[in-house]
Amino acid sequence: MNVPFLDLKAAYCEIQDELESAVLASLRSGWYIDGQDVEAFEQEFAAFTGTRHCVGVANGLDALRLALIAMGISAEDEVIVPSNTYIATWLGVSQSGATFVPVEPVESTYNLDPDRIEAAITPRTKAILPVHLYGQSSDLDPIIAIAHKHGLRILEDAAQAHGARYKGKRIGGHGDVVAWSFYPSKNLGAFGDAGAITTNDPELADRVRALRNYGSSVKYVNEVKGYNSRLDPVQAAVLRVKLKHLDEWNARRKAIAARYTSELAGTRLVLPEVPAWAEPVWHLYVVQHAERDSLQKALHEAGIGTQIHYPIPPHLQEAYRDAGYAAGRFPIAEGMANCLLSLPMGPQLDDACVTTVIDALKAAAHA
């Protein structure tokens, strides 16, 4: 049996009638910029995350960039970011004009280490940008305490954490603003690029609304130099349908993760650690293995799809060569890049497929 890493078509087929009806209604509305579906999704996602405001934008990177600009972050400012993350986190900071300051993660959870943050703070630091990586929340309380102590803002990157909880409360409004991506592979994914921010700050929400629309809150009146980054109404219609299924789909992911954790115990894999305060949604199930490349090859030969999130840390990407970070500068992130492997995960992955993955891992020469 071949097991794909992720089967997006299966998710579509499960709720095909609902999705096609919603898309057709959106097309027939004659309203192709903003409109009812965008407004309705913003209200529904704000309610889902327990926040007062949601503002849809074109994609997750724009959500990061516009949130930072709306908070007043610009050139001469510094933003603390994780060394272990997808490059979009760093790009959002770069595109705001600010300078990123990487901080290493907690080795057991892969997320930003609160104990390392204060050493990275300088007079130029204006914000902290924790990422809820792989669907598990960062440890927010100590990060928020540090931010309050030093007068800093907090922007959370929740691109992989739709529905995740921290100490019983959904991610969405712990910090000043939260950036979301609805890229198709996310737990809540559109049929193309889409994004949003959530916040409890009405002024910040209004600034993002203006920034996404050429800097305009009133047609042909431009208060600031803005951008064109609006959530497409057809994508909003898709997201409204999928949002109704998100909790159920996340529960299925949790059941798959529970099987992986239980049945892979005792192998040479390092399995994910979940702190007592975290309720992850398992966007990814990421393991570590000292001979990761050999293991991935064996799984590929067995018909098991896997991916590496992420093979090159941001500081070693060619895009950030000008930052001057040499190999060895962030050894924890580099070590993770060399041994992490993401297993098949998704709400449409059935028991037989999960069994196939587990059996293949146990049979692999180095597992």
Side-chain angles (χ1 to χ4, degrees):
M1 178 187 294
N2 290 327
V3 181
F5 175 72
L6 177 65
D7 188 348
L8 292 177
K9 185 176 179 180
Y12 162 71
C13 290
E14 180 177 332
I15 55 172
Q16 179 176 346
D17 290 345
E18 291 178 74
L19 289 168
E20 291 181 356
S21 177
V23 169
L24 186 58
S26 179
L27 294 175
R28 286 175 172 172
S29 73
W31 198 280
Y32 305 125
I33 296 291
D34 298 329
Q36 180 179 350
D37 276 316
V38 173
E39 293 174 5
F41 173 71
E42 289 175 338
Q43 294 169 5
E44 291 158 6
F45 194 66
F48 177 82
T49 58
T51 51
R52 295 193 183 101
H53 306 279
C54 171
V55 183
V57 296
N59 54 67
L61 177 55
D62 280 359
L64 291 165
R65 174 180 57 156
L66 298 185
L68 288 164
I69 295 170
M71 289 192 295
I73 307 298
S74 60
E76 309 301 327
D77 296 333
E78 293 178 349
V79 178
I80 291 174
V81 299
S83 60
N84 179 52
T85 185
Y86 182 54
I87 197 170
T89 308
W90 289 33
L91 290 171
V93 175
S94 298
Q95 292 178 10
S96 75
T99 300
F100 50 82
V101 178
V103 169
E104 291 270 63
V106 178
E107 292 187 68
S108 59
T109 67
Y110 310 126
N111 280 323
L112 183 64
D113 188 345
D115 292 338
R116 298 174 183 266
I117 291 176
E118 285 198 277
I121 294 174
T122 75
R124 293 176 56 192
T125 306
K126 294 296 186 295
I128 305 172
L129 207 172
V131 179
H132 305 301
L133 201 61
Y134 308 146
Q136 179 164 287
S137 65
S138 291
D139 191 1
L140 288 170
D141 280 354
I143 295 174
I144 291 170
I146 292 168
H148 287 170
K149 176 181 175 182
H150 294 274
L152 307 177
R153 309 297 294 271
I154 294 178
L155 165 61
E156 303 166 52
D157 182 339
Q160 301 181 1
H162 310 82
R165 296 177 186 270
Y166 175 71
K167 296 187 176 179
K169 179 183 176 183
R170 285 197 205 268
I171 296 300
H174 291 83
D176 293 285
V177 62
V178 180
W180 303 88
S181 168
F182 304 119
Y183 186 76
S185 64
K186 306 300 185 186
N187 291 43
L188 179 61
F191 286 160
D193 277 315
I197 66 99
T198 54
T199 182
N200 289 313
D201 184 336
E203 293 183 2
L204 199 154
D206 284 343
R207 286 196 289 273
V208 174
R209 288 190 186 99
L211 285 167
R212 72 175 178 180
N213 186 42
Y214 299 98
S216 172
S217 300
V218 178
K219 195 168 186 177
Y220 302 132
V221 178
N222 302 82
E223 303 103 49
V224 295
K225 298 183 182 73
Y227 306 85
N228 177 15
S229 180
R230 293 172 293 210
L231 176 60
D232 183 273
V234 174
Q235 303 299 347
V238 169
L239 292 168
R240 293 185 68 197
V241 171
K242 288 190 172 185
L243 183 59
K244 298 174 185 177
H245 297 270
L246 182 57
D247 281 336
E248 178 191 350
W249 285 356
N250 283 343
R252 293 186 205 170
R253 289 174 179 267
K254 182 177 179 180
I256 294 166
R259 281 199 63 192
Y260 281 153
T261 299
S262 173
E263 297 179 43
L264 292 174
T267 65
R268 290 174 58 200
L269 298 169
V270 177
L271 303 178
E273 181 176 309
V274 180
W277 39 258
E279 295 179 47
V281 291
W282 300 104
H283 173 63
L284 298 171
Y285 190 95
V286 179
V287 299
Q288 295 187 56
H289 193 278
E291 299 175 48
R292 187 268 314 283
D293 293 344
S294 296
L295 177 61
Q296 186 179 37
K297 181 181 178 181
L299 291 173
H300 175 74
E301 292 172 351
I304 308 299
T306 61
Q307 289 193 17
I308 300 171
H309 296 88
Y310 298 98
I312 304 174
H315 71 281
L316 296 181
Q317 294 282 2
E318 182 66 22
Y320 283 117
R321 184 178 181 181
D322 59 349
Y325 294 119
R329 177 63 180 82
F330 298 103
I332 298 177
E334 291 174 32
M336 289 175 175
N338 290 328
C339 65
L340 292 180
L341 187 67
S342 298
L343 304 184
M345 173 57 74
Q348 285 72 40
L349 195 67
D350 63 26
D351 286 341
C353 287
V354 176
T355 297
T356 299
V357 174
I358 292 169
D359 289 347
L361 280 163
K362 289 180 175 179
H366 302 289

